[in-house]
Amino acid sequence: VLLLALSLTVGASSFAQTPSTYNGVSFSFTLTNGVSEVSTTTFHVGEAILVHPKIDNGSDALFDYMVQDEYYLYRFDLTKAGRSLAIPYRSDRSTLLSIREEDPGIGRKMIPDPIMPNESMTFGALKLADRYDSLVPGTYKLNVEYKTGKIIESNGTFERLRLMYEVSFKVVP
């Protein structure tokens, strides 16, 4: 069975957080600095930026999420205000991320776990510094794509559902 990507994107205005949803299931994330658990959208140069992914299952059915390598499950797209091109991944991560785009790793199986109806699951924090070099002052937009465990049929093709979420944040001196 050939698995293709179905991307559902919900636009977000500056500093607003709008979850991407599919049949009552929403994907979102918050940003913290690693010192405080309080969500923020302003960071100082050199300060840690942690991404905390969350899925809310507002449906009446189980929803499968994946237990897998973070470089396979999450695809980041970071842009800086005033620039049209995405910021490239760190050079030492670029090859790994390219390989993991379609391959979760040798000998690893894609094992979905369910989120019960009307429950939420918050995942471990992802460090932006694991994928990008230090950020300079400016306003950024981060789009994170999450590959779910849900297989859906679309136009006669089976596809792995991907959910996306976007947030803007600032880095200050």
Side-chain angles (χ1 to χ4, degrees):
V1 174
L2 177 64
L3 298 179
L4 301 174
L6 170 67
S7 296
L8 302 175
T9 306
V10 176
S13 61
S14 181
F15 300 102
Q17 296 182 354
T18 306
S20 176
T21 61
Y22 175 80
N23 289 347
V25 176
S26 65
F27 172 68
S28 63
F29 62 84
T30 56
L31 301 175
T32 67
N33 63 12
V35 176
S36 170
E37 295 295 318
V38 176
S39 178
T40 186
T41 56
T42 302
F43 300 89
H44 293 324
V45 169
E47 189 173 36
I49 301 175
L50 302 180
V51 178
H52 301 271
K54 179 181 180 183
I55 292 182
D56 292 307
N57 183 1
S59 74
D60 294 332
L62 294 175
F63 184 81
D64 289 335
Y65 71 93
M66 300 303 295
V67 179
Q68 194 57 263
D69 180 279
E70 73 179 61
Y71 296 110
Y72 174 77
L73 291 179
Y74 301 98
R75 189 63 40 190
F76 286 35
D77 183 46
L78 181 65
T79 56
K80 187 174 183 203
R83 297 189 180 163
S84 58
L85 296 176
I87 296 172
Y89 290 123
R90 285 184 7 205
S91 59
D92 62 334
R93 290 289 192 242
S94 185
T95 302
L96 171 66
L97 289 164
S98 294
I99 291 168
R100 293 285 169 80
E101 171 64 26
E102 295 303 326
D103 178 15
I106 297 173
R108 295 184 183 177
K109 297 195 185 247
M110 306 254 309
I111 303 170
D113 277 344
I115 299 175
M116 302 304 286
N118 300 308
E119 290 190 6
S120 298
M121 174 67 69
T122 300
F123 302 94
L126 308 169
K127 298 176 186 173
L128 208 60
D130 284 348
R131 296 173 191 242
Y132 297 100
D133 290 325
S134 296
L135 301 179
V136 297
T139 300
Y140 294 85
K141 180 172 63 173
L142 176 63
N143 189 317
V144 177
E145 177 186 75
Y146 172 70
K147 294 179 186 176
T148 73
K150 178 103 176 129
I151 303 294
I152 60 171
E153 185 176 355
S154 176
N155 297 324
T157 304
F158 291 95
E159 304 169 339
R160 182 163 305 285
L161 174 67
R162 297 179 187 208
L163 298 174
M164 300 176 91
Y165 189 73
E166 176 181 291
V167 67
S168 294
F169 65 93
K170 288 183 180 181
V171 174
V172 297

